[in-house]
Amino acid sequence: MGIWQTDAEDAGKYMVDVRYTDGEFREEEEVEITVIDVDRAPSLMLPSRLEAREGELFRWDIPVADPDGDEVDLSAVGLPERAGFERRNATLTFTPSYDMVRRSGSGISNLLNRLRLENLMLSPKDIPITITACGRELCANASTLIRVKNVNRAPQFTQLSPLTVEETEPVRLSATAYDPDGDIVHYYFSSPLSKSKGEWRTDFEDEGVHTVYVTATDGRAGTTVPIDIVVRKKDRAPTLKIEDDTLLVNEGQQFAFAVNAADPDGDEVAVTLENLPLGASFKDGFFLWEPAYDTVQVKTKSVWHRLLSRLPYW
């Protein structure tokens, strides 16, 4: 008995020599055996899960093969929107949008967000897909899961304008930023502004351009930008100093005093005296005068004065 267990690669025609004998006579005959090709389904070895990230290109080369070497036709069910599926090259590409994983924005959600805990509880987005591969006659299908993970984006400033103030004026720098993920934004300011409020009480000697840095953060990612605060000089009045506020001198006695002037801003000071007494001089901050003997005159000519002047005692 002639036995042959054919295999999947044995398709074709084979000529077999068959010899037989009855012990006396011997005969030989050639027999043709035809092994018909049997189609086998393509092989799909899909992983249980694939991972993608928001905003990043995801590319997957689908592991498919046909054991007979036949051309494989692929199809897919459940593909995400705007995914690229190339049947001939067996590739899947897509870029998950940033809103695939969303926060709810509820009261509890906002509380967790303020505590910077919500990110630990955001569930990824699972996309189940089924791939079908067909060979010449038979098909095979398999399923897998594309898990899209959240990607945090930094806040972006929408309003931040330079400030101009005068010395001693208060500064209150307000900043507005938008978080594309809807996270709650906190702001921080560099010196001389207060760290959390962005306030500064300017003083004299603060004239100039002060570059400060403002940071908007959602707790995981932040954006920092510089901004100029221009402090303009505020003029202060000069000060005058005289050693004695009141002087008592006699007529005919020369006397002098100095007037000291200073400007807190360092500006040049010009000192002038108005209504100088007759014969007085003022130069380089020095007052000089010798009162004449008729400087002090009695001019009381009232009726009461005339009455009193007749009395011997007065």
Side-chain angles (χ1 to χ4, degrees), residues 212-233:
V212 298
Y213 294 88
V214 185
T215 298
T217 177
D218 61 5
R220 288 174 292 151
T223 301
T224 301
V225 297
I227 186 170
D228 290 336
I229 299 176
V230 180
V231 181
R232 296 184 303 196
K233 181 181 180 64

PDB file of all heavy atoms in Angstrom, residues 212-233:
ATOM      1  N   VAL A 212       9.926  92.097  34.632  1.00  0.00           N
ATOM      2  CA  VAL A 212       9.462  91.043  35.539  1.00  0.00           C
ATOM      3  C   VAL A 212       8.963  89.869  34.695  1.00  0.00           C
ATOM      4  O   VAL A 212       8.724  90.002  33.489  1.00  0.00           O
ATOM      5  CB  VAL A 212       8.347  91.555  36.469  1.00  0.00           C
ATOM      6  CG1 VAL A 212       8.853  92.672  37.352  1.00  0.00           C
ATOM      7  CG2 VAL A 212       7.139  92.022  35.662  1.00  0.00           C
ATOM      8  N   TYR A 213       8.803  88.738  35.342  1.00  0.00           N
ATOM      9  CA  TYR A 213       8.367  87.531  34.647  1.00  0.00           C
ATOM     10  C   TYR A 213       7.078  87.008  35.279  1.00  0.00           C
ATOM     11  O   TYR A 213       6.962  86.926  36.498  1.00  0.00           O
ATOM     12  CB  TYR A 213       9.455  86.458  34.701  1.00  0.00           C
ATOM     13  CG  TYR A 213      10.692  86.871  33.933  1.00  0.00           C
ATOM     14  CD1 TYR A 213      11.699  87.601  34.551  1.00  0.00           C
ATOM     15  CD2 TYR A 213      10.833  86.551  32.584  1.00  0.00           C
ATOM     16  CE1 TYR A 213      12.826  88.001  33.846  1.00  0.00           C
ATOM     17  CE2 TYR A 213      11.954  86.942  31.874  1.00  0.00           C
ATOM     18  CZ  TYR A 213      12.947  87.667  32.513  1.00  0.00           C
ATOM     19  OH  TYR A 213      14.049  88.063  31.808  1.00  0.00           O
ATOM     20  N   VAL A 214       6.138  86.688  34.394  1.00  0.00           N
ATOM     21  CA  VAL A 214       4.832  86.194  34.835  1.00  0.00           C
ATOM     22  C   VAL A 214       4.676  84.758  34.342  1.00  0.00           C
ATOM     23  O   VAL A 214       4.924  84.468  33.170  1.00  0.00           O
ATOM     24  CB  VAL A 214       3.689  87.068  34.286  1.00  0.00           C
ATOM     25  CG1 VAL A 214       2.355  86.606  34.852  1.00  0.00           C
ATOM     26  CG2 VAL A 214       3.941  88.525  34.607  1.00  0.00           C
ATOM     27  N   THR A 215       4.277  83.884  35.250  1.00  0.00           N
ATOM     28  CA  THR A 215       4.088  82.471  34.912  1.00  0.00           C
ATOM     29  C   THR A 215       2.628  82.092  35.113  1.00  0.00           C
ATOM     30  O   THR A 215       2.030  82.381  36.152  1.00  0.00           O
ATOM     31  CB  THR A 215       4.971  81.568  35.791  1.00  0.00           C
ATOM     32  OG1 THR A 215       6.349  81.884  35.553  1.00  0.00           O
ATOM     33  CG2 THR A 215       4.737  80.100  35.474  1.00  0.00           C
ATOM     34  N   ALA A 216       2.063  81.460  34.088  1.00  0.00           N
ATOM     35  CA  ALA A 216       0.717  80.883  34.179  1.00  0.00           C
ATOM     36  C   ALA A 216       0.885  79.369  34.147  1.00  0.00           C
ATOM     37  O   ALA A 216       1.501  78.823  33.231  1.00  0.00           O
ATOM     38  CB  ALA A 216      -0.160  81.349  33.020  1.00  0.00           C
ATOM     39  N   THR A 217       0.354  78.683  35.144  1.00  0.00           N
ATOM     40  CA  THR A 217       0.555  77.243  35.237  1.00  0.00           C
ATOM     41  C   THR A 217      -0.729  76.529  35.621  1.00  0.00           C
ATOM     42  O   THR A 217      -1.576  77.092  36.331  1.00  0.00           O
ATOM     43  CB  THR A 217       1.661  76.908  36.258  1.00  0.00           C
ATOM     44  OG1 THR A 217       1.797  75.498  36.375  1.00  0.00           O
ATOM     45  CG2 THR A 217       1.352  77.495  37.622  1.00  0.00           C
ATOM     46  N   ASP A 218      -0.868  75.315  35.144  1.00  0.00           N
ATOM     47  CA  ASP A 218      -1.989  74.473  35.546  1.00  0.00           C
ATOM     48  C   ASP A 218      -1.552  73.430  36.562  1.00  0.00           C
ATOM     49  O   ASP A 218      -2.290  72.494  36.861  1.00  0.00           O
ATOM     50  CB  ASP A 218      -2.631  73.798  34.331  1.00  0.00           C
ATOM     51  CG  ASP A 218      -1.659  72.879  33.590  1.00  0.00           C
ATOM     52  OD1 ASP A 218      -0.524  72.685  34.061  1.00  0.00           O
ATOM     53  OD2 ASP A 218      -2.034  72.344  32.523  1.00  0.00           O
ATOM     54  N   GLY A 219      -0.334  73.569  37.070  1.00  0.00           N
ATOM     55  CA  GLY A 219       0.191  72.643  38.060  1.00  0.00           C
ATOM     56  C   GLY A 219       1.139  71.624  37.483  1.00  0.00           C
ATOM     57  O   GLY A 219       1.981  71.074  38.191  1.00  0.00           O
ATOM     58  N   ARG A 220       1.050  71.394  36.165  1.00  0.00           N
ATOM     59  CA  ARG A 220       1.946  70.444  35.514  1.00  0.00           C
ATOM     60  C   ARG A 220       2.765  71.084  34.412  1.00  0.00           C
ATOM     61  O   ARG A 220       3.912  70.711  34.176  1.00  0.00           O
ATOM     62  CB  ARG A 220       1.128  69.282  34.931  1.00  0.00           C
ATOM     63  CG  ARG A 220       0.556  68.342  35.985  1.00  0.00           C
ATOM     64  CD  ARG A 220      -0.357  67.324  35.342  1.00  0.00           C
ATOM     65  NE  ARG A 220      -1.579  67.956  34.826  1.00  0.00           N
ATOM     66  CZ  ARG A 220      -2.258  67.501  33.785  1.00  0.00           C
ATOM     67  NH1 ARG A 220      -1.838  66.437  33.148  1.00  0.00           N
ATOM     68  NH2 ARG A 220      -3.360  68.119  33.394  1.00  0.00           N
ATOM     69  N   ALA A 221       2.180  72.038  33.736  1.00  0.00           N
ATOM     70  CA  ALA A 221       2.884  72.742  32.668  1.00  0.00           C
ATOM     71  C   ALA A 221       2.634  74.230  32.823  1.00  0.00           C
ATOM     72  O   ALA A 221       1.542  74.645  33.240  1.00  0.00           O
ATOM     73  CB  ALA A 221       2.421  72.252  31.291  1.00  0.00           C
ATOM     74  N   GLY A 222       3.635  75.025  32.501  1.00  0.00           N
ATOM     75  CA  GLY A 222       3.501  76.468  32.659  1.00  0.00           C
ATOM     76  C   GLY A 222       4.103  77.231  31.498  1.00  0.00           C
ATOM     77  O   GLY A 222       4.941  76.717  30.751  1.00  0.00           O
ATOM     78  N   THR A 223       3.648  78.467  31.349  1.00  0.00           N
ATOM     79  CA  THR A 223       4.183  79.383  30.339  1.00  0.00           C
ATOM     80  C   THR A 223       4.664  80.630  31.064  1.00  0.00           C
ATOM     81  O   THR A 223       3.918  81.219  31.847  1.00  0.00           O
ATOM     82  CB  THR A 223       3.107  79.757  29.304  1.00  0.00           C
ATOM     83  OG1 THR A 223       2.626  78.568  28.664  1.00  0.00           O
ATOM     84  CG2 THR A 223       3.675  80.697  28.254  1.00  0.00           C
ATOM     85  N   THR A 224       5.898  81.045  30.792  1.00  0.00           N
ATOM     86  CA  THR A 224       6.486  82.218  31.432  1.00  0.00           C
ATOM     87  C   THR A 224       6.847  83.240  30.374  1.00  0.00           C
ATOM     88  O   THR A 224       7.482  82.908  29.365  1.00  0.00           O
ATOM     89  CB  THR A 224       7.743  81.833  32.230  1.00  0.00           C
ATOM     90  OG1 THR A 224       7.388  80.871  33.235  1.00  0.00           O
ATOM     91  CG2 THR A 224       8.353  83.049  32.915  1.00  0.00           C
ATOM     92  N   VAL A 225       6.430  84.476  30.597  1.00  0.00           N
ATOM     93  CA  VAL A 225       6.723  85.550  29.650  1.00  0.00           C
ATOM     94  C   VAL A 225       7.257  86.760  30.415  1.00  0.00           C
ATOM     95  O   VAL A 225       6.896  86.982  31.570  1.00  0.00           O
ATOM     96  CB  VAL A 225       5.478  85.961  28.837  1.00  0.00           C
ATOM     97  CG1 VAL A 225       4.979  84.815  27.980  1.00  0.00           C
ATOM     98  CG2 VAL A 225       4.373  86.437  29.753  1.00  0.00           C
ATOM     99  N   PRO A 226       8.137  87.546  29.778  1.00  0.00           N
ATOM    100  CA  PRO A 226       8.616  88.783  30.414  1.00  0.00           C
ATOM    101  C   PRO A 226       7.692  89.947  30.100  1.00  0.00           C
ATOM    102  O   PRO A 226       7.005  89.961  29.076  1.00  0.00           O
ATOM    103  CB  PRO A 226       9.988  88.982  29.763  1.00  0.00           C
ATOM    104  CG  PRO A 226       9.821  88.407  28.390  1.00  0.00           C
ATOM    105  CD  PRO A 226       8.847  87.253  28.527  1.00  0.00           C
ATOM    106  N   ILE A 227       7.677  90.930  30.989  1.00  0.00           N
ATOM    107  CA  ILE A 227       6.901  92.148  30.761  1.00  0.00           C
ATOM    108  C   ILE A 227       7.628  93.296  31.444  1.00  0.00           C
ATOM    109  O   ILE A 227       8.220  93.123  32.511  1.00  0.00           O
ATOM    110  CB  ILE A 227       5.465  92.014  31.281  1.00  0.00           C
ATOM    111  CG1 ILE A 227       4.640  93.245  30.906  1.00  0.00           C
ATOM    112  CG2 ILE A 227       5.441  91.788  32.777  1.00  0.00           C
ATOM    113  CD1 ILE A 227       3.166  93.095  31.178  1.00  0.00           C
ATOM    114  N   ASP A 228       7.605  94.459  30.798  1.00  0.00           N
ATOM    115  CA  ASP A 228       8.306  95.628  31.325  1.00  0.00           C
ATOM    116  C   ASP A 228       7.359  96.531  32.112  1.00  0.00           C
ATOM    117  O   ASP A 228       6.243  96.812  31.676  1.00  0.00           O
ATOM    118  CB  ASP A 228       8.931  96.440  30.189  1.00  0.00           C
ATOM    119  CG  ASP A 228      10.108  95.719  29.544  1.00  0.00           C
ATOM    120  OD1 ASP A 228      10.707  94.861  30.232  1.00  0.00           O
ATOM    121  OD2 ASP A 228      10.412  95.996  28.373  1.00  0.00           O
ATOM    122  N   ILE A 229       7.843  96.948  33.266  1.00  0.00           N
ATOM    123  CA  ILE A 229       7.145  97.955  34.059  1.00  0.00           C
ATOM    124  C   ILE A 229       8.009  99.203  34.052  1.00  0.00           C
ATOM    125  O   ILE A 229       9.148  99.185  34.539  1.00  0.00           O
ATOM    126  CB  ILE A 229       6.909  97.486  35.496  1.00  0.00           C
ATOM    127  CG1 ILE A 229       6.043  96.224  35.503  1.00  0.00           C
ATOM    128  CG2 ILE A 229       6.248  98.581  36.326  1.00  0.00           C
ATOM    129  CD1 ILE A 229       5.830  95.642  36.887  1.00  0.00           C
ATOM    130  N   VAL A 230       7.489 100.288  33.488  1.00  0.00           N
ATOM    131  CA  VAL A 230       8.223 101.543  33.398  1.00  0.00           C
ATOM    132  C   VAL A 230       7.816 102.440  34.564  1.00  0.00           C
ATOM    133  O   VAL A 230       6.641 102.775  34.712  1.00  0.00           O
ATOM    134  CB  VAL A 230       7.952 102.252  32.050  1.00  0.00           C
ATOM    135  CG1 VAL A 230       8.728 103.565  31.982  1.00  0.00           C
ATOM    136  CG2 VAL A 230       8.328 101.344  30.882  1.00  0.00           C
ATOM    137  N   VAL A 231       8.798 102.791  35.386  1.00  0.00           N
ATOM    138  CA  VAL A 231       8.554 103.690  36.518  1.00  0.00           C
ATOM    139  C   VAL A 231       9.171 105.043  36.175  1.00  0.00           C
ATOM    140  O   VAL A 231      10.383 105.166  36.020  1.00  0.00           O
ATOM    141  CB  VAL A 231       9.167 103.137  37.825  1.00  0.00           C
ATOM    142  CG1 VAL A 231       8.866 104.091  38.983  1.00  0.00           C
ATOM    143  CG2 VAL A 231       8.612 101.745  38.122  1.00  0.00           C
ATOM    144  N   ARG A 232       8.311 106.033  36.046  1.00  0.00           N
ATOM    145  CA  ARG A 232       8.780 107.383  35.716  1.00  0.00           C
ATOM    146  C   ARG A 232       9.152 108.142  36.983  1.00  0.00           C
ATOM    147  O   ARG A 232       8.576 107.910  38.055  1.00  0.00           O
ATOM    148  CB  ARG A 232       7.709 108.143  34.941  1.00  0.00           C
ATOM    149  CG  ARG A 232       7.395 107.523  33.583  1.00  0.00           C
ATOM    150  CD  ARG A 232       6.399 108.355  32.819  1.00  0.00           C
ATOM    151  NE  ARG A 232       5.162 108.549  33.583  1.00  0.00           N
ATOM    152  CZ  ARG A 232       4.032 108.974  33.060  1.00  0.00           C
ATOM    153  NH1 ARG A 232       3.959 109.246  31.772  1.00  0.00           N
ATOM    154  NH2 ARG A 232       2.965 109.139  33.814  1.00  0.00           N
ATOM    155  N   LYS A 233      10.084 109.036  36.817  1.00  0.00           N
ATOM    156  CA  LYS A 233      10.551 109.833  37.950  1.00  0.00           C
ATOM    157  C   LYS A 233       9.455 110.778  38.413  1.00  0.00           C
ATOM    158  O   LYS A 233       8.753 111.398  37.618  1.00  0.00           O
ATOM    159  CB  LYS A 233      11.786 110.640  37.532  1.00  0.00           C
ATOM    160  CG  LYS A 233      12.379 111.492  38.639  1.00  0.00           C
ATOM    161  CD  LYS A 233      13.582 112.257  38.094  1.00  0.00           C
ATOM    162  CE  LYS A 233      14.213 113.126  39.169  1.00  0.00           C
ATOM    163  NZ  LYS A 233      14.773 112.334  40.276  1.00  0.00           N
TER     164      LYS A 233
END
